[in-house]
Amino acid sequence: KNEVEQSPQNLTAQEGEFITINCSYSVGISALHWLQQHPGGGIVSLFMLSSGKKKHGRLIATINIQEKHSSLHITASHPRDSAVYICAVKETSGSRLTFGEGTQLTVNP
Amino acid sequence: DGGITQSPKYLFRKEGQNVTLSCEQNLNHDAMYWYRQDPGQGLRLIYYSQIVNDFQKGDIAEGYSVSREKKESFPLTVTSAQKNPTAFYLCASSMDRFGDTQYFGPGTRLTVL
């Protein structure tokens, strides 16, 4: 079993829909990251969370430390949101990141 | 502009040849990382370096080697001992060894024929 599990693996939505991607982890963490990987392969960091909720534009990330679960929400989705979204955690015991397998999001016009 | 560069974007090599992937950063970051990405799998750590002239093996270091002679450069050599070298390779850096926010390069797609 992976230490970081994401669901769903693939998600197709229509433009304008509200999207939720989930991440569950099994280890103690000091921080959780949400990353976005575009078709060309480059990765950008969206959020780093250690508690609560963060919002940036149409993106919202939440984390529940007790339940070891985080969600990434996209409101009013747009085709340009199509990408792979990756959850990664930094364990309290180390400095390295452990990555989930990613969620492929496709938003159709 | 500050950032991380990887070259080349696409690389083809014959089986049995060593190949070196370039990673350069001008962010003045202490820590640098090499990851491998395969379809359907999360990024896996190959090697990382927390400071110049020092580096540690990650989870899948066999068949790879690195050097960190300069702060801004962390080249990765894929040797002939790596059994399945075809993959997408990503380099990243972070300000310090705690790696709170990692900045990623654009990646190199290596295909071994």
Side-chain angles (χ1 to χ4, degrees), chain A residues 33 35 88-90 95-99, chain B residues 35 45 99-100 102 104:
Chain A
H33 298 255
L35 310 167
V89 301
K90 194 175 93 167
S95 60
R96 295 156 43 165
L97 294 178
T98 302
F99 295 81
Chain B
Y35 296 98
L45 183 64
D100 277 347
Q102 294 187 15
F104 287 84

Side-chain angles (χ1 to χ4, degrees), chain A residues 2-101:
Chain A
N2 292 337
E3 292 178 341
V4 181
E5 296 275 355
Q6 287 186 236
S7 63
Q9 285 187 315
N10 294 283
L11 180 57
T12 300
Q14 289 300 121
E15 184 172 356
E17 288 185 358
F18 181 83
I19 288 164
T20 296
I21 299 170
N22 297 298
C23 176
S24 297
Y25 52 92
S26 57
V27 295
I29 69 168
S30 59
L32 181 143
H33 298 255
W34 281 104
L35 310 167
Q36 181 189 55
Q37 184 173 31
H38 280 282
I43 292 177
V44 295
S45 180
L46 298 175
F47 294 103
M48 182 177 71
L49 293 163
S50 54
S51 65
K53 176 180 173 179
K54 286 190 176 180
K55 184 176 188 293
H56 181 69
R58 296 181 293 105
L59 301 177
I60 304 166
T62 64
I63 188 168
N64 185 316
I65 297 293
Q66 287 73 32
E67 294 186 2
K68 295 186 175 177
H69 180 268
S70 175
S71 293
L72 176 68
H73 306 285
I74 304 175
T75 62
S77 60
H78 190 275
R80 65 175 175 266
D81 296 326
S82 298
V84 176
Y85 292 84
I86 300 169
C87 173
V89 301
K90 194 175 93 167
E91 298 182 32
T92 49
S93 59
S95 60
R96 295 156 43 165
L97 294 178
T98 302
F99 295 81
E101 294 179 5

Side-chain angles (χ1 to χ4, degrees), chain A residues 37 86, chain B residues 35-39 41-44 87-90:
Chain A
Q37 184 173 31
I86 300 169
Chain B
Y35 296 98
R36 171 181 171 137
Q37 188 177 37
D38 294 283
Q41 297 191 42
L43 274 69
R44 292 183 290 167
F88 188 58
Y89 291 88
L90 283 154

